[in-house]
mmCIF file of all heavy atoms in Angstrom:
data_model
loop_
_atom_site.group_PDB
_atom_site.id
_atom_site.type_symbol
_atom_site.label_atom_id
_atom_site.label_comp_id
_atom_site.label_asym_id
_atom_site.label_seq_id
_atom_site.Cartn_x
_atom_site.Cartn_y
_atom_site.Cartn_z
ATOM 1 N N ILE A 13 85.468 123.712 93.451
ATOM 2 C CA ILE A 13 85.212 125.109 93.084
ATOM 3 C C ILE A 13 86.488 125.789 92.610
ATOM 4 O O ILE A 13 86.481 126.538 91.617
ATOM 5 C CB ILE A 13 84.589 125.871 94.273
ATOM 6 C CG1 ILE A 13 83.200 125.318 94.576
ATOM 7 C CG2 ILE A 13 84.507 127.373 93.970
ATOM 8 C CD1 ILE A 13 82.557 125.888 95.819
ATOM 9 N N THR A 14 87.602 125.520 93.282
ATOM 10 C CA THR A 14 88.851 126.150 92.853
ATOM 11 C C THR A 14 89.343 125.561 91.526
ATOM 12 O O THR A 14 89.948 126.272 90.722
ATOM 13 C CB THR A 14 89.936 126.015 93.936
ATOM 14 O OG1 THR A 14 90.060 124.641 94.338
ATOM 15 C CG2 THR A 14 89.589 126.868 95.155
ATOM 16 N N LEU A 36 81.013 145.303 98.257
ATOM 17 C CA LEU A 36 80.884 146.097 99.479
ATOM 18 C C LEU A 36 80.592 147.556 99.152
ATOM 19 O O LEU A 36 79.781 148.208 99.819
ATOM 20 C CB LEU A 36 82.164 145.996 100.314
ATOM 21 C CG LEU A 36 82.572 144.592 100.767
ATOM 22 C CD1 LEU A 36 83.874 144.656 101.562
ATOM 23 C CD2 LEU A 36 81.472 143.957 101.617
ATOM 24 N N ALA A 41 76.592 152.160 98.437
ATOM 25 C CA ALA A 41 75.791 153.066 97.613
ATOM 26 C C ALA A 41 74.303 152.829 97.845
ATOM 27 O O ALA A 41 73.508 153.785 97.895
ATOM 28 C CB ALA A 41 76.147 152.873 96.144
ATOM 29 N N ARG A 51 63.672 159.433 103.403
ATOM 30 C CA ARG A 51 63.556 160.749 104.051
ATOM 31 C C ARG A 51 62.155 161.330 103.908
ATOM 32 O O ARG A 51 61.710 162.097 104.754
ATOM 33 C CB ARG A 51 64.579 161.725 103.475
ATOM 34 C CG ARG A 51 66.005 161.395 103.854
ATOM 35 C CD ARG A 51 66.996 162.292 103.130
ATOM 36 N NE ARG A 51 66.891 163.675 103.575
ATOM 37 C CZ ARG A 51 66.340 164.653 102.885
ATOM 38 N NH1 ARG A 51 65.803 164.418 101.692
ATOM 39 N NH2 ARG A 51 66.296 165.875 103.362
ATOM 40 N N SER A 54 57.768 157.642 106.387
ATOM 41 C CA SER A 54 57.445 157.681 107.810
ATOM 42 C C SER A 54 58.717 157.618 108.655
ATOM 43 O O SER A 54 59.808 157.316 108.156
ATOM 44 C CB SER A 54 56.547 156.491 108.162
ATOM 45 O OG SER A 54 57.240 155.274 107.951
ATOM 46 N N ILE A 58 62.523 155.819 107.746
ATOM 47 C CA ILE A 58 63.856 156.416 107.851
ATOM 48 C C ILE A 58 64.669 155.693 108.925
ATOM 49 O O ILE A 58 65.889 155.526 108.786
ATOM 50 C CB ILE A 58 63.775 157.936 108.143
ATOM 51 C CG1 ILE A 58 65.165 158.575 108.069
ATOM 52 C CG2 ILE A 58 63.125 158.231 109.463
ATOM 53 C CD1 ILE A 58 65.770 158.606 106.702
ATOM 54 N N ALA A 115 79.640 137.634 106.035
ATOM 55 C CA ALA A 115 78.833 138.158 107.136
ATOM 56 C C ALA A 115 78.346 139.569 106.820
ATOM 57 O O ALA A 115 77.177 139.907 107.060
ATOM 58 C CB ALA A 115 79.640 138.141 108.429
ATOM 59 N N ALA A 127 64.628 147.617 105.027
ATOM 60 C CA ALA A 127 64.403 149.042 104.818
ATOM 61 C C ALA A 127 63.728 149.334 103.487
ATOM 62 O O ALA A 127 63.011 150.326 103.346
ATOM 63 C CB ALA A 127 65.745 149.785 104.900
ATOM 64 N N VAL A 151 90.089 131.635 99.065
ATOM 65 C CA VAL A 151 90.511 132.082 100.396
ATOM 66 C C VAL A 151 89.586 131.625 101.519
ATOM 67 O O VAL A 151 89.837 131.915 102.684
ATOM 68 C CB VAL A 151 90.666 133.619 100.437
ATOM 69 C CG1 VAL A 151 91.768 134.065 99.488
ATOM 70 C CG2 VAL A 151 89.359 134.321 100.112
ATOM 71 N N ALA A 158 79.002 130.088 104.098
ATOM 72 C CA ALA A 158 77.623 129.781 104.476
ATOM 73 C C ALA A 158 77.338 130.284 105.895
ATOM 74 O O ALA A 158 76.304 130.909 106.162
ATOM 75 C CB ALA A 158 77.364 128.279 104.374
ATOM 76 N N VAL A 162 74.653 133.424 107.088
ATOM 77 C CA VAL A 162 73.603 133.209 108.091
ATOM 78 C C VAL A 162 73.850 134.064 109.326
ATOM 79 O O VAL A 162 72.934 134.711 109.856
ATOM 80 C CB VAL A 162 73.522 131.715 108.467
ATOM 81 C CG1 VAL A 162 72.544 131.502 109.623
ATOM 82 C CG2 VAL A 162 73.091 130.895 107.266
ATOM 83 N N VAL A 172 68.215 145.233 114.131
ATOM 84 C CA VAL A 172 67.095 146.066 113.679
ATOM 85 C C VAL A 172 65.906 145.907 114.617
ATOM 86 O O VAL A 172 65.252 146.891 114.991
ATOM 87 C CB VAL A 172 66.708 145.706 112.235
ATOM 88 C CG1 VAL A 172 65.409 146.406 111.834
ATOM 89 C CG2 VAL A 172 67.826 146.097 111.270
ATOM 90 N N GLU A 180 63.274 155.024 115.670
ATOM 91 C CA GLU A 180 62.084 155.683 115.135
ATOM 92 C C GLU A 180 61.708 156.896 115.970
ATOM 93 O O GLU A 180 61.390 157.965 115.431
ATOM 94 C CB GLU A 180 60.929 154.674 115.108
ATOM 95 C CG GLU A 180 59.680 155.164 114.435
ATOM 96 C CD GLU A 180 58.612 154.087 114.354
ATOM 97 O OE1 GLU A 180 58.951 152.892 114.464
ATOM 98 O OE2 GLU A 180 57.428 154.452 114.177
ATOM 99 N N ARG A 187 63.096 165.305 113.267
ATOM 100 C CA ARG A 187 62.340 165.992 112.219
ATOM 101 C C ARG A 187 61.698 167.286 112.715
ATOM 102 O O ARG A 187 61.258 168.104 111.907
ATOM 103 C CB ARG A 187 61.275 165.050 111.658
ATOM 104 C CG ARG A 187 61.854 164.002 110.722
ATOM 105 C CD ARG A 187 60.830 163.028 110.211
ATOM 106 N NE ARG A 187 61.367 162.280 109.070
ATOM 107 C CZ ARG A 187 60.738 161.306 108.445
ATOM 108 N NH1 ARG A 187 59.527 160.942 108.838
ATOM 109 N NH2 ARG A 187 61.294 160.695 107.405
ATOM 110 N N ASP A 190 65.210 172.365 115.558
ATOM 111 C CA ASP A 190 65.443 173.718 115.045
ATOM 112 C C ASP A 190 66.716 173.790 114.214
ATOM 113 O O ASP A 190 66.991 174.817 113.595
ATOM 114 C CB ASP A 190 65.542 174.713 116.214
ATOM 115 C CG ASP A 190 64.226 174.864 116.950
ATOM 116 O OD1 ASP A 190 63.167 174.685 116.303
ATOM 117 O OD2 ASP A 190 64.252 175.137 118.163
ATOM 118 N N ALA A 203 54.426 164.468 103.386
ATOM 119 C CA ALA A 203 53.920 165.837 103.236
ATOM 120 C C ALA A 203 52.617 165.976 104.018
ATOM 121 O O ALA A 203 51.727 165.132 103.945
ATOM 122 C CB ALA A 203 53.675 166.147 101.758
#
Side-chain angles (χ1 to χ4, degrees):
I13 294 174
T14 52
L36 301 179
R51 290 173 67 254
S54 64
I58 187 68
V151 297
V162 174
V172 171
E180 187 176 340
R187 284 177 165 176
D190 293 331

